[in-house]
Amino acid sequence: MADQDDDTILREREVDEGRDAYALDEGLRGELKALVAAGDVAAIDALMEPLHAADIADLLEQVSDGERAAWLGLWSKGIDGEVLSELDWGLREEVIALLPEQVLADAVRELDSDDVVDLVEDLEDEQIEQILDALEPADRVAVERALAYPEETAGRLMQREVVHAPEHWTVGEMIDHLRAHKRDLPEQFYHVILTDPRMKPTGYVTLGRLLSSARKTELREIVEDSFRTIPATQHEDDVAYAFNQYHLISAPVVDEDGRLVGVITIDDAMIVLDEAAEEDLLKLAGVGEESSLSDRVIETTKQRFPWLFVNLITAILASLVISQFEAAIAQIVALAVLMPIVASMGGNAGTQSLTVAVRAIATRDLTRSNLVRVVLREGAVGLINGAVFAVVMGVIGLFWFGNPMLGAVIAAAMIINLLVAGLAGILIPVALDRLNIDPALASGAFVTTVTDVVGFFAFLGLAVLVLL
Amino acid sequence: MADQDDDTILREREVDEGRDAYALDEGLRGELKALVAAGDVAAIDALMEPLHAADIADLLEQVSDGERAAWLGLWSKGIDGEVLSELDWGLREEVIALLPEQVLADAVRELDSDDVVDLVEDLEDEQIEQILDALEPADRVAVERALAYPEETAGRLMQREVVHAPEHWTVGEMIDHLRAHKRDLPEQFYHVILTDPRMKPTGYVTLGRLLSSARKTELREIVEDSFRTIPATQHEDDVAYAFNQYHLISAPVVDEDGRLVGVITIDDAMIVLDEAAEEDLLKLAGVGEESSLSDRVIETTKQRFPWLFVNLITAILASLVISQFEAAIAQIVALAVLMPIVASMGGNAGTQSLTVAVRAIATRDLTRSNLVRVVLREGAVGLINGAVFAVVMGVIGLFWFGNPMLGAVIAAAMIINLLVAGLAGILIPVALDRLNIDPALASGAFVTTVTDVVGFFAFLGLAVLVLL
């Protein structure tokens, strides 16, 4: 129980400072700007040479539009497929349009099929055609097949290059096979997938096991215990969930007949998972889920307008409630002074509950089996915090306005609104989810409406009953 | 440009329904409950047998306290180390306390050192001692060494079991070495790290390359181009950033002298990355960053209280502004009806900007080099949306209250508050970050205070100037 400061187990070394250990060198952009202005292509080459494609893409996102055009005008040959893959969705179209046809063709030809799919899937049809035309016929077919799967499914995420082998092969045969086909192997692979004669996957062997087993060992003897396949039409959120829940590194993808058609690796799943939490955050804040810093003013304004508009309607509804009590407010102006406090506290308590609920739905921690318990908990938390703040506000109301009944009214309204906020914060997202409406996107508006309306109505209504 | 519906490229197959493909079977909990009530240990065994440790942990989180105690009373032997690792932080302590000493000792003894570290680091000292005592002496030393690194650093994340080799070894020597030491290999590894005679890492070889190269090839010939090491004292957020930015699968960890001390794999980084976005979300909503559905009412109430308290102070500040205008409100009650609209719109616009800013700071997309541009953008977006809603509210003010000047006042206040909201939404998180205060945690309160105060002051102040 005791927190022993001198505990030897928890003795800590100094923490490394340097939050920006990996952030781009602030001077880099200035240097690049000067070189672009001077038109010094060789020096730009030298500056970019040590950078990772992801860092070049970040730099493209951070410079102004004019600088970007000037830079690409001088140095388009440095933009390879990887840089394009790393670019923000919003900027890809623009950069692709700025590239000479030959540079673009070379860039996409070096990518794996799953990266080409990721690159093109959000582009305009014309640009997709331009990129597909640049591919070798075989690669083009692979990309078109992947694009035939619906967006956000396993079929879009998977790579088609799979290392597989019959179960009866030995370690020696497998190694000889890999050595003979080294040119055709995917860039990254972590397992050999075992298949039956109909190409149905039956298990997998890790490369570590393969490397440490004797040549005569049969692959089926060193197969992993746990084995999961992913249907090609499964939603990418489910794929990411499976990787996260079961700590998968790669998993075979199968078609409707259970035949192996590809493999998904953890890096793809990590991107999906990372985006899911980020999207929930942006959606809860009423910002478009795809918004990014490189968006223009007009795009950004348009993305944010809808949520502000919904909020306006919510706010007007609340105002209509207030307008029902104009006579009371004219008599006791203190009501106008205090009423935003009740609404604001309710709004915040509701946002707390709904944020927890939205994430719990997304991570599948909130299910039918614990719903009742969680609803009761949220109600109880609202009631307790409501009671605490009721006391605080009652005292403030009393001393500020010298009116004990006004204190009692605001205290009662606080309890009611925080209880309602807790319940609305959980029940609204759950109900939206049941109706197949994205709770992250829509819950905020509903919950705020409820807490505003209930807050104003409870406070002003009680005031009319008690004070007038 | 055209969206061709019949486009063959984008022809889509049917999406697989089944969001709950991986969610726990809803019937499972009911079945378990019945078996626990009947005390049928063999049947519980059979029910749990096919489940992954992560699913058993989820089930432990979802049942009520009473059910959990009864279940563990009957079936504690099924709780192995992996299940403990998968449990929510809040429940671990409780479950560990419920386990017989021998079961706990067996459970932790089967875990890798990094998993033991992850398991114990948030426990009370007494429980840590109990678990350390259960370990073999060598494992205990490894865990204590890891715990000597500060919390949330690479040293805590890494596993100490590393596969490494001198650069001059051949593929054949490496494979023979792995076969000879197969019992000591870590459960998962993806690279062989090459080291110089002082144990400094010089590069790494993927297992795929190793398997597909001839026995006589020297390891240094097939080393990967890109190579990054991670200092043991680096913060885990920086580690996760590097894995995400550079698509790493595993990376060697080095001590202050550059010597190899461990390795971090992508699954560890994925957990950190996933938590980072989630924590920002919870912090922005004013919920404790470690809150979870299995927390009790009292814990949850305590976690949420501080933010509600901060919000109360904010709301009282706003009320103090309103109270300066009591005379005006007494004369024109319409002011009380309309004023929450201005404040609410400002609060929402501010939340939009600050959410984007907080995430951009976290993902390092917002830097000195694009700050001015982003601030100008947020200001412009605020101004444009402010102007649009000014027109809307001006018209509503005019028709609702039949007073054109009231419409003009609310329109002007709307423009002012949305401009201020946009600027505050970006400048406040950036300023907090510079002051080393977590912008996700603190920005919301500051921004809401600004938009409430400015909203009420602009609207009521202009009303006094123009209408009275």
Side-chain angles (χ1 to χ4, degrees):
Chain A
M1 288 298 272
D3 273 294
Q4 297 164 296
D5 278 330
D6 58 346
D7 192 326
T8 50
I9 300 167
L10 295 171
R11 169 174 42 94
E12 301 203 340
R13 298 187 195 162
E14 227 180 341
V15 192
D16 221 25
E17 283 299 323
R19 283 195 54 196
D20 291 327
Y22 287 100
L24 283 176
D25 181 2
E26 303 273 348
L28 199 59
R29 188 189 162 196
E31 220 172 312
L32 175 68
K33 201 172 169 177
L35 294 177
V36 168
D40 188 344
V41 179
I44 298 176
D45 260 346
L47 189 66
M48 294 297 129
E49 211 277 320
L51 295 187
H52 188 283
D55 291 332
I56 297 178
D58 280 354
L59 207 52
L60 276 166
E61 287 162 17
Q62 290 186 7
V63 297
S64 71
D65 293 354
E67 281 168 55
R68 192 182 307 121
W71 175 15
L72 290 178
L74 282 169
W75 191 74
S76 63
K77 74 176 150 74
I79 307 302
D80 59 16
E82 268 191 83
V83 174
L84 289 180
S85 288
E86 299 284 352
L87 269 183
D88 252 10
W89 175 83
L91 260 186
R92 268 186 207 170
E93 248 171 79
E94 189 187 322
V95 170
I96 287 174
L98 284 172
L99 293 181
E101 212 165 307
Q102 192 52 46
V103 173
L104 179 63
D106 290 344
V108 295
R109 230 173 271 151
E110 74 190 32
L111 289 173
D112 279 345
S113 66
D114 59 329
D115 292 327
V116 178
V117 171
D118 176 59
L119 182 66
V120 303
E121 59 184 357
D122 292 320
L123 295 179
E124 307 278 349
D125 288 350
E126 270 177 49
Q127 285 192 322
I128 298 181
E129 273 303 336
Q130 193 192 349
I131 287 174
L132 291 182
D133 286 345
L135 296 172
E136 309 284 334
D139 291 336
R140 181 179 175 133
V141 169
V143 171
E144 285 181 344
R145 267 205 203 132
L147 288 174
Y149 287 102
E151 277 184 49
E152 308 194 334
T153 59
R156 292 273 182 115
L157 280 183
M158 71 187 182
Q159 62 185 51
R160 303 196 144 250
E161 299 85 359
V162 188
V163 180
H164 60 95
E167 298 172 277
H168 60 77
W169 275 20
T170 62
V171 168
E173 284 173 310
M174 189 72 230
I175 291 179
D176 294 340
H177 175 85
L178 290 172
R179 286 184 183 150
H181 294 85
K182 60 192 288 185
R183 308 239 166 273
D184 310 325
L185 296 177
E187 227 176 285
Q188 306 257 26
F189 67 106
Y190 313 105
H191 293 112
V192 171
I193 297 166
L194 304 187
T195 48
D196 71 9
R198 291 173 176 177
M199 273 298 278
K200 295 192 180 168
T202 59
Y204 46 51
V205 173
T206 69
L207 300 191
R209 264 337 257 292
L210 201 57
L211 276 163
S212 58
S213 300
R215 279 187 69 91
K216 62 175 194 306
T217 316
E218 279 194 23
L219 295 183
R220 76 180 86 187
E221 294 171 46
I222 53 172
V223 76
E224 293 295 292
D225 294 337
S226 140
F227 174 61
R228 283 163 204 279
T229 59
I230 291 175
T233 50
Q234 188 168 66
H235 194 278
E236 61 177 19
D237 288 346
D238 293 313
V239 175
Y241 175 81
F243 270 81
N244 194 32
Q245 175 85 344
Y246 304 118
H247 310 295
L248 308 177
I249 295 296
S250 72
V253 179
V254 294
D255 66 13
E256 50 269 49
D257 300 321
R259 275 189 294 255
L260 182 66
V261 290
V263 66
I264 292 178
T265 49
I266 189 172
D267 47 323
D268 304 312
M270 189 165 170
I271 292 169
V272 174
L273 198 71
D274 190 36
E275 280 172 1
E278 174 112 11
E279 279 175 19
D280 277 354
L281 175 70
L282 295 175
K283 283 188 282 190
L284 278 170
V287 192
E289 58 181 280
E290 301 237 311
S291 78
S292 96
L293 279 197
S294 48
D295 292 339
R296 306 297 147 94
V297 170
I298 291 303
E299 271 170 82
T300 309
T301 307
K302 280 190 197 158
Q303 278 166 2
R304 299 199 189 163
F305 183 85
W307 173 246
L308 290 176
F309 189 78
V310 169
N311 179 61
L312 181 67
I313 297 182
T314 300
I316 289 174
L317 276 176
S319 291
L320 286 173
V321 173
I322 299 171
S323 70
Q324 304 309 306
F325 297 94
E326 282 192 25
I329 293 171
Q331 273 186 268
I332 312 173
V333 183
L335 297 180
V337 174
L338 291 173
M339 69 185 184
I341 298 179
V342 178
S344 159
M345 292 295 282
N348 274 277
T351 302
Q352 290 181 329
S353 296
L354 92 84
T355 304
V356 171
V358 164
R359 277 314 287 167
I361 292 170
T363 58
R364 297 172 210 197
D365 289 326
L366 184 60
T367 62
R368 263 173 229 270
S369 61
N370 61 357
L371 178 61
V372 174
R373 200 156 48 82
V374 174
V375 170
L376 291 176
R377 185 189 77 166
E378 292 296 328
V381 169
L383 213 51
I384 297 174
N385 269 330
V388 174
F389 286 108
V391 173
V392 175
M393 275 315 296
V395 173
I396 290 177
L398 172 62
F399 284 98
W400 190 351
F401 294 96
N403 182 341
M405 289 316 284
L406 183 61
V409 165
I410 196 167
M414 190 72 88
I415 295 179
I416 294 171
N417 207 22
L418 261 60
L419 172 62
V420 169
L423 296 177
I426 178 115
L427 292 174
I428 288 174
V430 168
L432 290 171
D433 185 52
R434 294 272 160 91
L435 297 171
N436 277 320
I437 299 169
D438 184 347
L441 205 55
S443 299
F446 284 101
V447 172
T448 319
T449 306
V450 169
T451 55
D452 273 3
V453 167
V454 169
F456 289 129
F457 190 80
F459 178 60
L460 297 172
L462 284 171
V464 167
L465 286 180
V466 174
L467 299 176
L468 294 183
Chain B
M1 289 295 274
D3 271 294
Q4 297 163 300
D5 278 331
D6 56 348
D7 192 326
T8 50
I9 300 167
L10 294 172
R11 170 174 42 92
E12 300 202 344
R13 298 187 195 162
E14 227 180 342
V15 193
D16 221 28
E17 282 300 325
R19 282 195 54 194
D20 291 327
Y22 287 100
L24 282 176
D25 182 1
E26 303 272 348
L28 198 58
R29 187 188 162 197
E31 219 171 311
L32 175 67
K33 201 172 169 175
L35 294 176
V36 169
D40 188 343
V41 180
I44 298 176
D45 261 347
L47 188 66
M48 294 296 129
E49 209 277 321
L51 294 187
H52 188 281
D55 291 333
I56 296 178
D58 281 354
L59 207 53
L60 276 167
E61 287 161 18
Q62 290 185 8
V63 298
S64 71
D65 292 354
E67 282 168 54
R68 190 181 307 121
W71 175 15
L72 290 179
L74 282 169
W75 191 73
S76 63
K77 74 178 150 75
I79 307 301
D80 59 14
E82 269 191 82
V83 174
L84 290 181
S85 288
E86 299 284 352
L87 270 183
D88 252 8
W89 174 83
L91 259 186
R92 267 185 209 171
E93 250 171 77
E94 188 187 323
V95 170
I96 287 175
L98 285 171
L99 292 181
E101 212 165 307
Q102 193 51 46
V103 172
L104 179 62
D106 291 344
V108 295
R109 231 173 270 151
E110 74 189 32
L111 289 173
D112 279 345
S113 65
D114 59 328
D115 292 328
V116 178
V117 171
D118 176 59
L119 182 66
V120 302
E121 60 184 356
D122 292 321
L123 295 178
E124 306 279 347
D125 288 350
E126 271 177 49
Q127 285 193 322
I128 298 180
E129 274 303 336
Q130 192 191 350
I131 287 175
L132 291 182
D133 287 344
L135 295 173
E136 309 284 333
D139 291 337
R140 181 179 176 133
V141 169
V143 171
E144 284 181 343
R145 269 205 202 132
L147 288 174
Y149 287 102
E151 276 185 48
E152 308 195 333
T153 58
R156 292 272 183 117
L157 280 183
M158 71 187 183
Q159 62 185 52
R160 301 195 146 249
E161 300 85 359
V162 188
V163 180
H164 60 96
E167 297 173 276
H168 59 79
W169 275 20
T170 63
V171 168
E173 284 173 309
M174 189 71 230
I175 290 179
D176 294 341
H177 174 85
L178 290 172
R179 285 183 185 151
H181 294 86
K182 60 192 289 185
R183 307 241 167 271
D184 310 324
L185 296 177
E187 227 176 286
Q188 306 257 24
F189 67 106
Y190 312 105
H191 293 111
V192 172
I193 296 166
L194 305 187
T195 47
D196 71 9
R198 291 173 177 179
M199 273 299 277
K200 294 193 181 171
T202 58
Y204 44 52
V205 173
T206 69
L207 301 191
R209 270 324 265 292
L210 201 57
L211 276 164
S212 58
S213 301
R215 279 187 68 91
K216 63 177 192 307
T217 316
E218 279 194 21
L219 295 183
R220 76 180 87 190
E221 295 170 48
I222 53 172
V223 75
E224 293 294 293
D225 295 337
S226 139
F227 174 61
R228 281 162 207 280
T229 59
I230 291 175
T233 50
Q234 188 168 66
H235 194 277
E236 61 177 18
D237 288 347
D238 292 315
V239 175
Y241 176 80
F243 269 81
N244 194 32
Q245 175 84 343
Y246 305 119
H247 310 295
L248 308 178
I249 295 296
S250 73
V253 180
V254 294
D255 66 13
E256 49 269 49
D257 301 321
R259 274 189 296 253
L260 183 65
V261 289
V263 65
I264 293 178
T265 49
I266 188 172
D267 48 323
D268 305 311
M270 190 164 170
I271 292 169
V272 174
L273 198 72
D274 190 35
E275 280 172 1
E278 174 111 10
E279 280 175 17
D280 277 354
L281 176 71
L282 296 175
K283 283 188 281 190
L284 278 170
V287 192
E289 58 181 277
E290 300 237 310
S291 78
S292 97
L293 278 198
S294 47
D295 292 340
R296 306 297 147 94
V297 170
I298 291 303
E299 273 170 82
T300 308
T301 307
K302 280 191 199 157
Q303 279 166 1
R304 298 199 189 163
F305 183 85
W307 172 247
L308 289 176
F309 189 77
V310 169
N311 179 62
L312 181 67
I313 298 184
T314 299
I316 289 174
L317 276 176
S319 290
L320 286 174
V321 172
I322 298 172
S323 70
Q324 304 309 307
F325 297 94
E326 283 192 24
I329 293 171
Q331 273 186 269
I332 311 173
V333 182
L335 296 181
V337 174
L338 290 174
M339 68 184 185
I341 298 179
V342 179
S344 158
M345 292 295 282
N348 274 278
T351 302
Q352 290 180 330
S353 295
L354 93 85
T355 303
V356 171
V358 164
R359 277 314 286 166
I361 291 171
T363 58
R364 297 168 210 199
D365 288 328
L366 184 60
T367 61
R368 263 173 229 270
S369 62
N370 61 357
L371 177 61
V372 174
R373 200 156 48 82
V374 174
V375 170
L376 290 177
R377 185 189 77 167
E378 291 298 328
V381 169
L383 214 51
I384 296 174
N385 269 330
V388 174
F389 286 108
V391 172
V392 175
M393 275 315 297
V395 172
I396 290 176
L398 173 62
F399 284 98
W400 190 350
F401 294 96
N403 183 341
M405 288 316 285
L406 183 61
V409 165
I410 197 166
M414 189 72 89
I415 294 178
I416 293 170
N417 207 21
L418 261 62
L419 172 62
V420 168
L423 295 176
I426 178 114
L427 292 174
I428 288 175
V430 168
L432 289 171
D433 185 51
R434 294 272 161 91
L435 296 171
N436 277 320
I437 299 169
D438 183 349
L441 205 56
S443 298
F446 284 100
V447 172
T448 319
T449 307
V450 169
T451 55
D452 272 3
V453 167
V454 169
F456 290 130
F457 190 80
F459 178 59
L460 297 173
L462 283 171
V464 168
L465 285 180
V466 173
L467 298 175
L468 294 183

